[in-house]
Amino acid sequence: MNYAFILGTHSSWSVAELLAVLGDNEVSWSNDRILVKKNTEINAENLISSLGGTLKIAEIEMEVPVNMPIPTLAKKCAELIQVKANRGEGKLIFGLSDQGIGGHFEVEKLGLNIKKELKSAEISSRLVTSREKELSSVVVGQNKLLSKGAELIFFRRDKTLIIARTLAIQPYKELSRRDFGRPIRDDHSGMLPPKLAQMMINFAGQMSADGLLLDPFCGSGTVINEAMLMGYTNLMGTDLSEKAIKDSRVNAEWLRELYGLETRAKFHIKNATRLAQFLKPKSVDTIVTEPYLGPQRDLNDITTIQVELAELYSKALDNFYSILKDNGRVVMVWPVFFGREFIEPRLDKWQIINLLPERFIDLPWLKISERGTLLYHRDGQKVWRELIVLEKIN
Ligand SMILES: C[S@@+](CC[C@H](N)C(=O)[O-])C[C@H]1O[C@@H](n2cnc3c(N)ncnc32)[C@H](O)[C@@H]1O
């Protein structure tokens, strides 16, 4: 089957995550919000719960000429809805999302025409609209579009209008519960949003579920918790701070109970720059971590911060080199101050892995640094994040 993946706001990271998970053959784009993957089989519901960067997964149902008259298109869409929609009690509920049609295509008008067509087939329906051109996952979820009807997504490629039907949406309630509902939050040291942790784990590539995944700057344990939920069973978090390790233990226990998981992660107070004294050589399969990122506000002396962080990361990387298996990966985020001041640790024993194949890196909306790494920032943020994926040079 052919699928459309609706990308999150940080499209570059979303694309890289999908390529890491699904592979890059039969993949294409229509715009910066949609990735299309053809001729594949997936379980959308399962897959979306482990993808941090995808908002919706939809199945491509039809491709029609972009100038098809609205009444004809409405008839086709109504037929599609009749065949494929999930019907609950009461009215059939449907919604339409313009995910990059371009021009003056009127989704609202199309919706009313579909409603009319459904009525003539004796189906009473409710059309869900929103102020945005596309319905958010929250609107789709709250209106029960997937259990009591359907959402159709429209996007364009050249002269073709592609129509896809949503199969699964990002579990926004669960993600928010894991982020804001965990027993201990540490806003002072900072925490990764669970979605970002999921993406980082996926960037590590395929790893056996019982391989050892280590977060050596684990803070309150976001990476370990998300990895536990993604089915990894051999997990270790270490941190210099006693409080961080206590917090991680509490958060991990909370998650285990919430989801009825059997895995127990191990947590230890350890300095990341001395890990080789604690863990055996080549005993770790993957390292996924958000290290200490330096001050986030008092940014007067950037040069000193850069030198100190480069030293911390270099020492940690020396230890990672010793404990990591030869085919293992390190996935980290490093700060980029003001979007231009990068950290330059010693990388002579490492190669930076470019997550996007050559043929994709010209896309204008991808945010890529000169060293080929992906960047992440929100509007107005002084400290950007750089995604670093490393493999050993053996
Ligand atoms: C940005 S926080 C990590 C937050 C974590 N990703 C989370 O979501 O909770 C950085 C962590 O690095 C720890 N840290 C700083 N220097 C360290 C070192 N040399 N070795 C190990 N941990 C260190 C801090 O105690 C802090 O918990």
Side-chain angles (χ1 to χ4, degrees):
M1 286 203 269
N2 300 332
Y3 297 94
F5 293 80
I6 314 305
L7 310 174
T9 36
H10 299 282
S11 325
S12 318
W13 289 50
S14 306
V15 166
E17 182 185 42
L18 284 168
L19 294 179
V21 172
L22 302 172
D24 67 4
N25 62 337
E26 303 242 33
V27 165
S28 59
W29 277 270
S30 295
N31 57 52
D32 64 344
R33 301 302 316 285
I34 299 222
L35 178 146
V36 170
K37 170 96 179 165
K38 293 200 160 166
N39 297 318
T40 190
E41 288 304 324
I42 58 164
N43 176 329
E45 199 73 46
N46 281 353
L47 183 60
I48 204 153
S49 62
S50 62
L51 291 174
T54 295
L55 301 180
K56 298 176 187 168
I57 301 178
E59 183 185 339
I60 295 180
E61 298 276 10
M62 287 194 277
E63 302 199 9
V64 301
V66 80
N67 56 1
M68 177 175 269
I70 294 251
T72 320
L73 182 59
K75 212 174 171 69
K76 281 182 169 292
C77 291
E79 282 164 12
L80 172 65
I81 291 174
Q82 283 181 66
V83 177
K84 293 282 182 84
N86 283 318
R87 296 293 306 274
E89 301 269 293
K91 285 189 174 183
L92 182 150
I93 306 168
F94 73 100
L96 310 177
S97 279
D98 171 353
Q99 207 73 57
I101 303 173
H104 300 287
F105 190 92
E106 292 167 67
V107 169
E108 191 87 31
K109 195 166 157 196
L110 174 65
L112 294 174
N113 275 263
I114 295 175
K115 200 168 152 59
K116 225 189 306 169
E117 287 291 336
L118 288 171
K119 195 170 176 199
S120 64
E122 297 184 356
I123 297 173
S124 116
S125 64
R126 176 160 76 83
L127 170 64
V128 173
T129 55
S130 83
R131 248 174 283 148
E132 312 299 322
K133 283 170 131 188
E134 62 194 89
L135 303 178
S136 67
S137 303
V138 177
V139 169
V140 174
Q142 278 174 349
N143 286 285
K144 304 195 166 43
L145 286 184
L146 304 191
S147 57
K148 295 191 163 186
E151 182 201 20
L152 299 185
I153 292 176
F154 298 79
F155 59 100
R156 180 183 174 154
R157 180 170 296 158
D158 302 325
K159 294 200 166 111
T160 302
L161 181 66
I162 303 173
I163 303 159
R165 182 178 56 93
T166 307
L167 300 176
I169 53 171
Q170 197 165 54
Y172 56 89
K173 275 193 204 156
E174 300 256 313
L175 283 163
S176 164
R177 187 172 189 190
R178 299 209 295 276
D179 198 354
F180 302 103
R182 54 186 147 180
I184 300 182
R185 290 179 50 83
D186 184 349
D187 292 311
H188 177 69
S189 293
M191 284 166 303
L192 275 176
K195 286 186 202 182
L196 207 53
Q198 285 182 321
M199 286 197 258
M200 289 177 68
I201 295 162
N202 282 325
F203 294 144
Q206 304 301 331
M207 174 184 111
S208 72
D210 60 353
L212 177 58
L213 186 149
L214 168 73
D215 179 351
F217 296 87
C218 69
S220 38
T222 318
V223 168
I224 298 296
N225 273 3
E226 291 306 314
M228 203 186 316
L229 266 182
M230 286 161 77
Y232 293 102
T233 54
N234 192 357
L235 301 164
M236 185 185 290
T238 57
D239 197 290
L240 193 58
S241 142
E242 193 179 334
K243 179 182 177 311
I245 293 303
K246 260 194 204 152
D247 293 354
S248 286
R249 287 195 176 120
V250 173
N251 284 339
E253 205 43 41
W254 172 78
L255 193 88
R256 279 186 68 237
E257 276 182 22
L258 188 64
Y259 288 91
L261 304 171
E262 285 181 7
T263 300
R264 278 181 200 279
K266 298 177 210 90
F267 293 102
H268 303 278
I269 305 166
K270 295 287 164 203
N271 189 334
T273 64
R274 294 204 203 109
L275 271 179
Q277 295 168 18
F278 168 65
L279 288 165
K280 289 198 183 108
K282 302 187 184 179
S283 59
V284 176
D285 290 75
T286 303
I287 295 175
V288 178
T289 195
E290 176 197 38
Y292 172 61
L293 299 171
Q296 304 292 295
R297 284 195 190 89
D298 182 13
L299 301 175
N300 296 326
D301 187 358
I302 293 291
T303 312
T304 306
I305 299 171
Q306 280 172 306
V307 170
E308 283 172 8
L309 288 180
E311 194 49 28
L312 172 66
Y313 298 173
S314 296
K315 284 186 184 160
L317 282 170
D318 282 346
N319 281 261
F320 298 170
Y321 193 89
S322 147
I323 61 178
L324 191 67
K325 290 185 181 164
D326 286 340
N327 57 357
R329 270 191 181 175
V330 176
V331 179
M332 297 178 85
V333 279
W334 294 350
V336 183
F337 298 98
F338 306 111
R340 54 170 197 275
E341 305 290 344
F342 288 74
I343 310 298
E344 310 276 356
R346 291 184 296 276
L347 289 178
D348 41 322
K349 290 190 283 189
W350 299 96
Q351 59 167 329
I352 295 183
I353 301 300
N354 193 334
L355 291 169
L356 299 175
E358 279 288 308
R359 65 189 165 102
F360 300 142
I361 56 179
D362 286 341
L363 294 169
W365 44 268
L366 290 177
K367 285 193 191 126
I368 300 180
S369 74
E370 278 179 14
R371 55 184 171 193
T373 51
L374 299 180
L375 302 173
Y376 178 109
H377 76 108
R378 296 202 202 98
D379 286 344
Q381 237 175 10
K382 288 182 189 157
V383 187
W384 296 22
R385 302 279 183 270
E386 180 185 23
L387 175 73
I388 299 283
V389 181
L390 301 171
E391 280 179 10
K392 284 174 162 189
I393 300 171
N394 291 300

